[in-house]
């Protein structure tokens, strides 16, 4: 078994000693350098040197996305701007973007983290890493790019879009690892079929897919269509970008690189820390970052932690696949619905494609959820009666799984907009 960095297999005791030292240094430094944190820490009576054990983390205040927005653009940086060598930003759907800054050393640590993720997914120096995440302010493209180079593999900086050209170069150059969102991977597979390019003509062996929620059902479909092993990669710009966690070959959760981030799961309503195995909101503390280090950052992503040993040998804790965010949960007539739940049901019904969208509206003061889903061309050419039957079947299955009635609209193949980055799954007309 290969690891890019031996820290991944450090015994727990030593790993925790490293975490404690790094946590203490980080908190003390933020207290000195970032007025926002000094104020927050003083409010809870914290003084430098107060971190005596990892348990003390629980006494520290949370950081939220609003804190980043309130200190826009550079207010939370812990170093002078002359030491920042790179900025990234996440657009966010409303308000100001969230801006993150990296020192030269941060870029190195980040590249090392991404190299580790590529190795965990089976990558080596011999791989051609096809990076189809967007290059730019988004951390996906440059994050994977630097990681591939750090590993000594060959980085192919495609960025997103121009799908036919992606496929042509994939064939000509023999790309072996595909990095993009899972929805874009499906889009690539579909365009491959349309171009008449078969699985045998490409050399892909693995996919490093993430940046949006997806299900195991979708994984199987991507693996089948592209002939690859698909690995879930998780990350967020505030914490570093891609490279926070990755599925190893066991695919039983994503190893969080605990030498750089301390993960916690909290109850989103009370803020109380939850034990391993329980689902709640993921919270990360940066312990190996200079430019922007966040204490107990509330991600709004929902997951659980698994501390059981992994056969791959990595000692770092695993987080379960992120099923959604506390803020993308739809409340339909009082029932909580996550888009990923609908996806899981749809993907089990034969003849239904993985291209779907949920449209929520309010009609006469009642929430109405319409599931728009494409069907395969064969199904679409069936007689009306059969289509109606399928519609009813989807409706029944989604309804019995979610516990709320939905409308189903079967859509013509290719009528739902294809994604080249993060897929838009929900259109909520109630807010418009
Ligand atoms: O999406 C970083 C990234 C790039 C991750 C490439 C993986 C691969 P942001 O644009 O800041 O950063 O968005 C972060 O995306 O809080 C989650 O809600 C969601 N997300 C990221 N990875 C996953 C995943 C990048 N594997 C936000 N599963 C996060 C589910 C994910 N959701």
């Amino acid at each position: 078994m290969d690891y890019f960095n031996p820290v991944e297999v450090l015994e727990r005791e030593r790993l925790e000693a490293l975490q404690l030292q790094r946590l203490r240094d980080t908190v003390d430094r933020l207290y000195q350098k970032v007025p926002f944190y000094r104020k927050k820490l003083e409010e809870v009576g914290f003084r430098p040197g107060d971190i005596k054990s990892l348990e003390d983390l629980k006494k520290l205040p949370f950081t939220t996305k609003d804190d980043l927005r309130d200190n826009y653009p550079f207010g939370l940086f812990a170093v002078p701007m002359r030491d920042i060598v790179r900025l990234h930003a996440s657009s966010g759907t409303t308000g100001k973007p969230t801006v993150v800054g990296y020192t030269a050393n941060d870029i190195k640590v980040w590249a090392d983290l991404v190299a580790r993720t590529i190795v965990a997914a089976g990558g080596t120096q011999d791989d051609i890493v096809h990076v189809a995440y967007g290059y730019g302010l988004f951390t996906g493209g440059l994050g994977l790019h630097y990681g591939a180079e750090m590993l000594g593999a060959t980085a192919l900086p495609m960025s997103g879009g121009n799908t036919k050209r992606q496929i042509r170069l994939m064939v000509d150059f023999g790309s072996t690892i595909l990095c993009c969102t899972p929805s874009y991977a499906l889009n690539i597979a579909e365009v491959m079929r349309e171009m008449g390019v078969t699985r045998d003509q490409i050399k892909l062996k693995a996919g490093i897919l993430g940046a949006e929620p997806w299900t195991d059902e979708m994984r199987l479909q991507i693996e089948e269509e592209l002939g690859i092993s698909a690995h879930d990669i998780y990350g967020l710009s505030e914490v570093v970008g891609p490279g926070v966690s990755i599925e190893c070959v066991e695919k039983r959760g994503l190893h969080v690189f605990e030498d750089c981030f301390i993960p916690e799961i909290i109850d989103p309503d009370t803020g109380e820390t939850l034990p391993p195995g329980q689902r709640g909101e993921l919270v990360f503390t940066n312990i190996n970052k200079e430019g922007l280090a966040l204490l107990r950052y509330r991600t709004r992503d929902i997951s659980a932690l698994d501390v059981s040993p992994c056969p791959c040998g990595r000692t770092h804790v695993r987080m379960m696949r992120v099923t959604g965010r506390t803020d993308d949960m739809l409340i339909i007539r009082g029932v909580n619905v996550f888009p990923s739940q609908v996806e899981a049901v749809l993907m089990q019904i034969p003849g239904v494609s993985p291209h779907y969208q949920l449209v929520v509206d309010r009609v006469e003061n009642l929430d109405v959820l319409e599931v728009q889903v494409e069907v395969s061309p064969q199904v679409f050419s069936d007689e009306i009666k059969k289509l109606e039957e399928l519609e009813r079947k989807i409706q029944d299955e989604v309804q019995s799984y979610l516990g709320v009635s939905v409308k189903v609209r079967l859509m013509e193949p290719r009528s739902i907009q294809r994604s080249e980055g993060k897929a838009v799954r929900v259109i909520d007309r109630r807010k418009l």
Side-chain angles (χ1 to χ4, degrees), residues 35-251:
F36 164 84
Y37 273 124
R38 174 181 289 240
K39 183 159 171 280
K40 270 207 151 189
L41 289 165
E42 276 174 351
E43 276 165 16
V44 297
F46 174 90
R47 288 280 170 277
D50 273 1
I51 298 281
K52 303 270 191 290
S53 78
L54 287 175
E55 277 297 296
D56 291 334
L57 179 64
K58 292 200 187 100
K59 299 181 192 153
L60 300 180
F62 290 114
T63 309
T64 64
K65 201 171 186 91
D66 283 341
D67 293 328
L68 281 158
R69 292 224 175 93
D70 294 346
N71 291 281
Y72 177 84
F74 309 140
L76 295 189
F77 290 6
V79 298
M81 273 313 279
R82 61 177 312 190
D83 293 338
I84 296 287
V85 302
R86 172 101 65 87
L87 294 172
H88 279 284
S90 73
S91 50
T93 39
T94 50
K96 293 176 191 156
T98 311
V99 186
V100 295
Y102 305 76
T103 63
N105 192 51
D106 290 340
I107 295 286
K108 259 197 230 137
V109 171
W110 183 21
D112 178 87
L113 286 165
V114 177
R116 292 193 215 171
T117 72
I118 299 173
V119 171
T124 68
Q125 290 192 349
D126 296 322
D127 280 299
I128 297 187
V129 182
H130 189 111
V131 185
Y133 286 113
Y135 279 64
L137 287 176
F138 176 52
T139 51
L142 285 165
L144 266 301
H145 183 104
Y146 273 62
E149 289 187 350
M150 173 66 91
L151 169 60
T154 308
L156 179 57
M158 294 301 303
S159 199
N162 207 338
T163 310
K164 285 191 176 149
R165 189 165 65 132
Q166 302 256 3
I167 295 165
R168 275 196 299 272
L169 295 194
M170 199 178 276
V171 172
D172 293 350
F173 296 177
S175 309
T176 52
I177 298 185
L178 174 63
C179 308
C180 63
T181 58
S183 57
Y184 192 44
L186 276 176
N187 184 352
I188 291 177
E190 185 177 45
V191 175
M192 258 174 64
R193 273 199 306 277
E194 288 166 4
M195 290 167 70
V197 173
T198 63
R199 263 174 53 167
D200 311 334
Q201 287 171 269
I202 57 169
K203 293 216 179 81
L204 287 183
K205 63 175 192 190
I208 299 183
L209 314 179
E212 65 184 7
W214 53 313
T215 55
D216 266 332
E217 288 77 10
M218 187 172 290
R219 185 214 303 274
L220 291 177
Q221 179 151 1
I222 294 170
E223 290 189 329
E224 166 64 29
E225 293 193 11
L226 292 174
I228 60 172
S229 169
H231 295 253
D232 192 7
I233 177 174
Y234 169 88
L236 63 167
S237 22
E238 296 90 318
V239 172
V240 77
V244 174
S245 65
I246 180 76
E247 273 177 337
C248 64
V249 289
E250 300 293 329
K251 298 188 187 163

